[in-house]
Every structure is written in structure tokens, then in C-alpha cells.
Amino acid sequence: EVQLVESGGGLVQPGGSLRLSCAASGFTFGSTDMSWVRQGPGKGPEWVSAINSGGGSTYYADSVKGRFTISRDNAKNTLYLQMNSLKPEDTAVYYCARSTIVGNMVEYDGHSWGQGTQVTVSS
């Protein structure tokens, strides 16, 4: 059974930083592209970032490029998202998801998400 457990969220002030983690199990993590997706209050999901299975290629939404860094540790079956220079508009529940990267396109699994982790950016 696919299981994804997100952690690391919290309340931070604008300009602050946070590091999210996603612990994965139930599939071959080291052979799977991964994404971070977020969902703000009353909004649909917004793709944030993706990383290929080996970790050598990364992709970012324009809204977070230059501020967020996605990474992974395949030996630990863990995905990370380092978030710097946080803005109020980054406030959302953050989820990790299995993905498929084809050229410039990223598709993600909309079903096997974890419980998510809440990120609130407010002064």
C-alpha cells in the first residue's frame, strides 16, 4: 500500500524558512519521480515542484522558483522541500505525490497523497 507522510509545516513570518519532509513507503521510491503539491483554503491543488527519480533534474512553478528547493534521499525514501523567503501566498496544505516527468511536462498522482502538512505564513 502506497503511503506518504508529510511533516515539517508550521507557522512562520514572511521572509522565514521551513523544510518539509515526505516519508514514502509501499512503492519503489528510488525509481519514482516525485512532486510537491499545495492546496490553499477553498482552492484547488497547485503543483509546486518536481524531481526526477535519481534527483538530478528539478522543476519549479514560477511562483516559487528561486525560493524553494526540492531534493530527495533515496536511501531514506524521503523527499524534501526547502522553502525560503516565504510569502503569505505560500500558505497552504502541502502534499507530496508520485509523479511522471516527460520532457517539460509533469503529471502527478492525484490519489495517493498523505495527510499533508500545514504551512501558514503570517505576521
Side-chain angles (χ1 to χ4, degrees):
E1 177 178 310
V2 174
Q3 188 169 23
L4 300 168
V5 181
E6 299 91 347
S7 63
L11 174 64
V12 294
Q13 295 192 346
S17 297
L18 214 52
R19 191 194 195 207
L20 307 184
S21 297
C22 168
S25 61
F27 65 100
T28 308
F29 180 79
S31 300
T32 306
D33 302 337
M34 298 293 294
S35 285
W36 286 98
V37 182
R38 66 188 182 187
Q39 189 164 4
K43 300 179 179 180
E46 176 190 13
W47 174 82
V48 174
S49 184
I51 187 167
N52 75 325
S53 60
S57 298
T58 57
Y59 308 82
Y60 300 93
D62 289 343
S63 58
V64 307
K65 194 170 186 178
R67 301 187 297 119
F68 290 12
T69 303
I70 190 170
S71 62
R72 66 195 297 159
D73 187 337
N74 286 346
K76 296 180 179 179
N77 281 7
T78 303
L79 178 73
Y80 304 99
L81 185 67
Q82 178 66 47
M83 306 186 296
N84 299 326
S85 302
L86 283 162
K87 304 175 180 180
E89 48 263 49
D90 296 318
T91 295
V93 179
Y94 284 70
Y95 303 90
C96 57
R98 298 188 297 173
S99 298
T100 301
I101 301 170
V102 181
N104 241 283
M105 300 295 174
V106 179
E107 51 186 278
Y108 60 87
D109 181 350
H111 297 116
S112 298
W113 294 5
Q115 80 290 341
T117 186
Q118 176 71 51
V119 172
T120 303
V121 185
S122 177
S123 58

